[in-house]
Amino acid sequence: MTNQPPPLTGYDVFAADPALTEGVARYVAAEHLGEAREELGRLGRAAGSAQAQCWGAQANAYPPVLRTHDRYGHRIDEVEFHPAWHRLLGHAVGAGLTGAWTRPHGHLRRTAGFLVWTQVEAGHGCPLSMTHAAVPALRAEPELAAVWEPLLTSPVYDAELRPAARKAGALAGMAMTEKQGGSDVRANTTRAEPLAADGEYVLTGHKWFCSAPMSDAFLVLAQAPGGLTCFLLPRVLPDGTRNAFRLQRLKDKLGNRSNASAEVEFDGRTWARRVGEEGRGLAAIIGMVAATRLDCVTASAAVMRQAVAQALHHTAYREAFGRRLADQPLMRNVLADLALESEAATTLALRLAAAYDGGTERDRALLRLAVPAAKYWVTKRCTPVVAEALECLGGNGYVEESGLPRLLREAPLNSIWEGSGNVQALDVLRALRREPAALDAYLTEIGAARGADHRLDRAIRGLLTELADLAGAEARARRLAERMALVLQGALLVRYAPPEVADAFCAARLGGDAGAAFGTLPHTLGLAAIAERARPVAE
């Protein structure tokens, strides 16, 4: 066999990504950096192994199956997964990808780990994200948090359905949206009737999308007497009996095939505990939504990084017309452009994670505006990046065995999950109008890079002009979100990335010195250095 690249295996996914390793070093304090590098290196080597990549392929080749009844006719409502799914989840939980709340620089370290490990397989990132994000919501009810937070942040993967008191670790899912409402959860019709015991209710209704239906507990929204309220619905009741949690069917999705998403029914006997006050359901879950939106950014950055890594690896070995593909000027332009987009996404995700760890008022204000803007833009860029990377492999990229088709089917998911593009853009607009501290924090962040690049300075001035007049802004909310994300990415790259990366980004993304398609960067830029920086190298 000649002129075929070797498999991209046996490498450290973390160490082979300079944008990621440099970001971790930037934000993790010196006394914790060695430990963080060691744990991320272990995870990176596992992610780059042939075994883990086999698990990812198997989990998607053998998707989950719904078992509503056992052989005797008893209703069980269980989802059966291939063993590879459990191995992926077990490794992730053991690596701390649900434990950000329990250690120094936890969000930054978890975000870096999430970006590394979900390159193996994206679908199991859903329960990891839901479990991680349930913690801030449950803290609205300290009694519940005392029981569930240690389980949700535990490094033990315990897949058996048992009462919380008998679990070594637990996963959480989410069931918010309904048929008639979609993103408008205020239109939910699921009812919650209070029981005699304080904080206990029974639910009646349906959920059109239930994420990770095999989980131990779910955060749900329902209409209580006092209005829309958040509830914790355990899968197994304290006495060991199954809660009335009826799985109607699993969704047949475009991608994300390894992960189960379900339609569920609550039959009037479905027991749940209130989280927060009645009528304050949206306030109770706002922390969860912010955390999962950051995971959407991170997961898209992971999909992009893996697609770009595959393209760079293939073209480094494949020859055509007497030269390596990577050495041909036009292909080099495409590869550099893709690498640029990937590095910008990774750099932005890490900055947002560091703001979570910072926890200051300014950090929280920055996140209020930067998270929906980043979620809007980075998730939008994922699909075209993967499609172009696939094309770098030619016909080989269109074949399932390459792994690129699976990435392409996965790519649109994060632009839809946790609010599609219009929802994010309108959230950016809402923050601009209602929370001046958020804009102040954003302007302070990008202002740290002013004077370093004339194209960035010009883009900042243009953005300020747009922000000065928000009349009729709803129709241009997408443009505002896009520009805010791009300017923030540019500011971060100017401050932290190598000069050739920052120069190319500002020229192409802020200066307009490139076409709409990838591979149209000015040829005078340092394209070879940009592409080589991003190329993964096996040990």
Side-chain angles (χ1 to χ4, degrees), residues 7-224:
L8 180 54
T9 59
Y11 78 111
D12 185 336
V13 173
F14 172 68
D17 187 348
L20 184 56
T21 57
E22 291 165 12
V24 169
R26 182 182 311 132
Y27 295 119
V28 175
E31 62 266 30
H32 302 294
L33 183 56
E35 179 187 26
R37 282 174 167 160
E38 184 178 346
E39 71 180 28
L40 289 167
R42 286 196 303 270
L43 192 62
R45 290 186 291 276
S49 69
Q51 181 184 58
Q53 292 176 25
C54 181
W55 292 343
Q58 288 175 334
N60 282 271
Y62 304 98
V65 176
L66 175 61
R67 305 294 187 196
T68 57
H69 295 78
D70 67 13
R71 59 180 290 196
Y72 303 106
H74 301 122
R75 186 93 193 212
I76 57 172
D77 293 290
E78 293 185 5
V79 182
E80 182 180 292
F81 291 86
H82 189 274
W85 165 270
H86 296 290
R87 293 188 179 105
L88 289 164
L89 259 182
H91 200 101
V93 171
L97 299 190
T98 58
W101 312 95
T102 62
R103 55 186 179 161
H105 305 287
H107 289 87
L108 190 282
R109 291 161 69 171
R110 178 192 172 272
T111 294
F114 195 78
L115 204 155
V116 165
W117 186 247
T118 56
Q119 289 185 53
V120 176
E121 200 287 309
H124 79 291
C126 174
L128 296 174
S129 182
M130 297 286 94
T131 302
H132 159 71
V135 171
L138 288 176
R139 287 176 174 174
E141 203 66 50
E143 184 182 344
L144 282 177
V147 174
W148 285 95
E149 186 170 334
L151 297 176
L152 299 177
T153 58
S154 168
V156 177
Y157 175 56
D158 184 348
E160 296 298 320
L161 288 175
R162 290 191 293 263
R166 293 167 48 200
K167 295 279 291 186
L171 297 178
M174 182 174 71
M176 303 291 179
T177 58
E178 299 181 4
K179 299 172 190 176
Q180 73 287 343
S183 296
D184 183 9
V185 294
R186 290 184 177 87
N188 284 6
T189 60
T190 295
R191 302 191 315 276
E193 300 174 16
L195 298 173
D198 183 45
E200 298 185 9
Y201 294 71
V202 288
L203 307 184
T204 305
H206 74 282
K207 294 295 174 181
W208 192 233
F209 275 94
C210 175
S211 299
M214 72 294 170
S215 299
D216 298 285
F218 302 86
L219 286 173
V220 303
L221 289 174
Q223 298 288 355

Side-chain angles (χ1 to χ4, degrees), residues 172-379:
M174 182 174 71
M176 303 291 179
T177 58
E178 299 181 4
K179 299 172 190 176
Q180 73 287 343
S183 296
D184 183 9
V185 294
R186 290 184 177 87
N188 284 6
T189 60
T190 295
R191 302 191 315 276
E193 300 174 16
L195 298 173
D198 183 45
E200 298 185 9
Y201 294 71
V202 288
L203 307 184
T204 305
H206 74 282
K207 294 295 174 181
W208 192 233
F209 275 94
C210 175
S211 299
M214 72 294 170
S215 299
D216 298 285
F218 302 86
L219 286 173
V220 303
L221 289 174
Q223 298 288 355
L228 190 66
T229 304
C230 182
F231 296 92
L232 180 73
L233 189 163
R235 190 70 176 81
V236 181
L237 299 174
D239 65 4
T241 60
R242 299 288 179 93
N243 206 351
F245 183 81
R246 304 304 186 213
L247 299 179
Q248 301 300 93
R249 64 170 176 163
L250 301 185
K251 298 290 192 179
D252 186 7
K253 297 173 293 184
L254 166 68
N256 203 246
R257 306 289 291 186
S258 69
N259 178 45
S261 303
E263 295 171 27
V264 299
E265 296 285 339
F266 310 141
D267 68 357
R269 298 175 297 116
T270 306
W271 185 88
R273 285 285 306 272
R274 189 185 66 236
V275 178
E277 301 174 16
E278 275 198 8
R280 298 279 295 164
L282 292 180
I285 66 166
I286 195 67
M288 183 179 197
V289 170
T292 50
R293 284 179 176 176
L294 174 55
D295 275 1
C296 289
V297 176
T298 306
S300 290
V303 170
M304 281 194 263
R305 171 57 190 167
Q306 183 55 210
V308 173
Q310 292 291 342
L312 288 162
H313 177 75
H314 177 89
T315 55
Y317 288 92
R318 182 79 165 176
E319 292 186 3
F321 310 112
R323 285 187 295 176
R324 290 192 318 158
L325 288 174
D327 293 332
Q328 300 185 22
L330 191 53
M331 178 60 81
R332 183 186 301 139
N333 198 314
V334 172
L335 296 171
D337 213 354
L338 292 173
L340 201 62
E341 198 69 40
S342 175
E343 177 152 352
T346 295
T347 302
L348 180 52
L350 294 177
R351 175 63 187 98
L352 298 179
Y356 267 97
D357 285 325
T360 66
E361 287 296 328
R362 192 171 82 83
D363 286 325
R364 285 190 287 271
L366 175 64
L367 290 169
R368 176 64 188 91
L369 192 52
V371 167
K375 201 274 190 187
Y376 170 79
W377 183 242
V378 173
T379 63

Side-chain angles (χ1 to χ4, degrees), residues 386-473:
V386 177
E388 191 68 56
L390 183 153
E391 190 174 327
C392 292
L393 277 67
N396 292 318
Y398 207 68
V399 174
E400 287 289 342
E401 289 174 323
S402 73
L404 271 297
R406 171 154 56 95
L407 291 178
L408 186 59
R409 288 191 296 272
E410 190 71 32
L413 172 66
N414 290 299
S415 63
I416 299 167
W417 190 38
E418 294 301 346
S420 56
N422 284 355
V423 172
Q424 303 307 312
L426 292 173
D427 200 28
V428 167
L429 191 57
R430 190 178 302 111
L432 288 171
R433 285 172 166 165
R434 298 181 183 177
E435 302 182 42
L439 180 57
D440 288 345
Y442 173 86
L443 294 177
T444 300
E445 185 72 24
I446 63 174
R450 293 188 77 166
D453 187 282
H454 68 279
R455 293 152 302 192
L456 174 61
D457 289 346
R458 187 166 59 246
I460 292 174
R461 290 194 297 271
L463 179 59
L464 291 172
T465 300
E466 290 197 54
L467 292 172
D469 181 14
L470 294 181

